[in-house]
Amino acid sequence: IHTFSQRNDARAGMPVCAVLLGANPEDFRPKGVPSPTAGQRQSYLRTFRFVQPPAPRIIYAPAPYREMLLKLYASLDVTVASGAPVAAAADSRTSIKVNDRGYGLISFQRIGPSAAIELAQALRDVRALGARSVQLSAPVADPGLPSLTDAARTLGFFFCGLGPSFANGADTFLLQWLSEPLDTGKLQLFTEPTKELVAFIDRDRAAMGQDARRT
């Protein structure tokens, strides 16, 4: 059992598990209210907590993000262990969607051996449908996650966070891709763990060529 919310700050007392950059247009906010994020698409922090003790997890953490994932799980009081290597699934199971605010979602419910090709096509498809910010979601318990993440990084995807129990009770690993610059220095951040997470994301964005200067 869980609850989650999206907020512009982390003062609600729940751990932040993901940062959704550029999720909505710049004007998607109350009119007449000063906004420090004016001039760029709006971003949100996703907060979460379990209301009952969570079960232990077996995860396949991609190497560049293992330490941060362990920190996020620790903040949620979840015990995790690394899964043993197994063969990839016979095929992937995926879906895409783009809302009317230019936010696209690529979901891998299962990761197969052709995931890199499928991801590249999915990114082309959501961009053709008008996505300006794209989230990639995949099961953190899928053995194919490290290889999918490697493919995503070659396309410019960067770390976004964790979706605890977001997929019918299963945890999801989240990456993002942006089509335009976005300055995280304009975000309102109030806790050290949140600032640490955003700083980690910014370093990953820069490494993927997706920093604030990207055009």
Side-chain angles (χ1 to χ4, degrees), residues 40-200:
Q40 63 186 31
R41 288 177 64 85
Q42 298 295 314
S43 302
Y44 300 87
L45 305 179
R46 177 167 280 170
T47 61
F48 179 97
R49 68 181 175 195
F50 289 96
V51 296
Q52 291 184 356
R57 266 54 168 174
I58 301 294
I59 67 171
Y60 290 85
Y65 307 122
R66 176 178 171 78
E67 183 178 351
M68 180 53 69
L69 277 175
L70 292 179
K71 287 182 179 180
L72 292 176
Y73 273 115
S75 74
L76 297 167
D77 295 323
V78 177
T79 300
V80 298
S82 296
V86 298
D91 52 26
S92 298
R93 189 166 63 241
T94 67
S95 62
I96 64 169
K97 63 180 179 180
V98 179
N99 66 22
D100 59 2
R101 300 186 295 277
Y103 194 68
L105 176 62
I106 301 171
S107 297
F108 275 75
Q109 293 83 38
R110 186 171 63 202
I111 304 168
S114 300
I117 297 171
E118 294 158 344
L119 175 60
Q121 183 60 57
L123 180 59
R124 288 192 291 269
D125 290 344
V126 294
R127 292 191 67 187
L129 292 171
R132 297 170 65 182
S133 178
V134 180
Q135 181 186 113
L136 169 61
S137 172
V140 75
D142 192 307
L145 182 61
S147 61
L148 175 64
T149 301
D150 288 344
R153 285 166 61 86
T154 66
L155 296 173
F157 281 88
F158 56 88
F159 187 73
C160 174
L162 176 69
S165 296
F166 279 18
N168 297 319
D171 300 344
T172 55
F173 177 74
L174 307 176
L175 296 169
Q176 271 200 289
W177 181 94
L178 298 178
S179 66
E180 58 196 63
L182 190 147
D183 182 4
T184 59
K186 293 183 176 183
L187 303 183
Q188 299 179 62
L189 308 175
F190 295 93
T191 69
E192 288 307 313
T194 303
K195 293 175 183 178
E196 179 183 345
L197 175 58
V198 171
F200 178 86

